[in-house]
Amino acid sequence: MSKMILTAVALSFGLSAMTGPVLIPVLRRMKIGQTIREEGPAAHLKKAGTPTMGGIMFIVAPVLFLTVGFGLVGFLDDYIKIVCRRSMGLTPLQKLSGQLLVTGLFAYYILTFTDVSLAMRIPWLPGRYLDFGIWNLPILFFIVLGTVNGVNFTDGLDGLAGSVTVIVAVFFTVVAAGSHSGIEPVTCAVTGALMGFL
């Protein structure tokens, strides 16, 4: 394992782990706690008052546009839950609109200011790509929105989304290292930050 990968994991883990003990007491003092829907399982009611917005801990570590953009949507959702005492937070249409805006800005940046191709590289087949031409853009939206909402749906119990995402980030690190894509520092930073969060 390269020194760069170990450094990315260690730094993001350290930053995330150090943020937690400072952030959680502040959230408790501010009475920023989770409100629980009454129609859910009775076992979830014990989560009432658990500090929310914990995602700040790992957003600080891997500062990426999509992470910060979707983090802002999540922040607004939590803010509405806390301030308005509305357990649902943003409406589905509001949440989807925010996600579409962030994804659209990301796609615009990629297409306008970079030479990154939207064609998908086939892992372990050098020089082989799936290029759907004009359909690459809708596929990008589908993948990004599907991924972020998959995490949202998984985030029902404490630590569940974080633990699942750590496994996914480790997988992407192995794929990135095997394909020499150069994104290992990013996937390792996500892994370390989430481990610190957990």
Side-chain angles (χ1 to χ4, degrees):
M1 191 174 291
S2 76
K3 184 177 178 182
M4 178 178 62
I5 290 175
L6 290 173
T7 302
V9 172
L11 285 175
S12 59
F13 172 81
L15 183 57
S16 184
M18 287 186 300
T19 304
V22 174
L23 180 64
I24 290 172
V26 170
L27 293 174
R28 285 192 194 279
R29 275 195 303 274
M30 295 173 66
K31 299 192 184 320
I32 296 178
Q34 183 71 34
T35 55
I36 306 300
R37 285 185 284 178
E38 293 177 9
E39 64 273 8
H44 286 201
L45 294 175
K46 65 183 179 186
K47 281 184 63 179
T50 300
T52 187
M53 296 189 198
I56 294 170
M57 288 168 55
F58 55 87
I59 287 176
V60 169
V63 183
L64 303 169
F65 176 77
L66 283 176
T67 305
V68 173
F70 289 130
L72 287 173
V73 174
F75 174 82
L76 285 173
D77 189 44
D78 284 345
Y79 182 81
I80 290 169
K81 288 176 186 176
I82 295 159
V83 173
C84 301
R85 297 282 181 202
R86 195 173 81 200
S87 66
M88 291 298 290
L90 292 171
T91 66
L93 182 60
Q94 291 169 332
K95 194 176 287 188
L96 184 61
S97 298
Q99 293 169 350
L100 285 168
L101 175 65
V102 171
T103 307
L105 290 171
F106 174 72
Y108 174 76
Y109 176 80
I110 290 288
L111 294 171
T112 306
F113 299 106
T114 74
D115 59 354
V116 174
S117 170
L118 293 183
M120 292 177 275
R121 185 179 182 277
I122 303 173
W124 298 288
L125 292 177
R128 302 285 184 159
Y129 292 86
L130 287 175
D131 191 349
F132 295 103
I134 195 168
W135 293 103
N136 284 336
L137 194 58
I139 290 170
L140 170 72
F141 272 78
F142 178 78
I143 291 171
V144 171
L145 294 174
T147 302
V148 75
N149 284 299
V151 173
N152 283 341
F153 292 141
T154 308
D155 194 24
L157 296 171
D158 290 337
L160 182 59
S163 57
V164 170
T165 307
V166 164
I167 295 167
V168 173
V170 168
F171 168 76
F172 281 125
T173 300
V174 171
V175 170
S179 62
H180 307 290
S181 67
I183 65 163
E184 301 93 312
V186 174
T187 56
C188 286
V190 170
T191 301
L194 286 167
M195 289 191 303
F197 169 71
L198 291 172

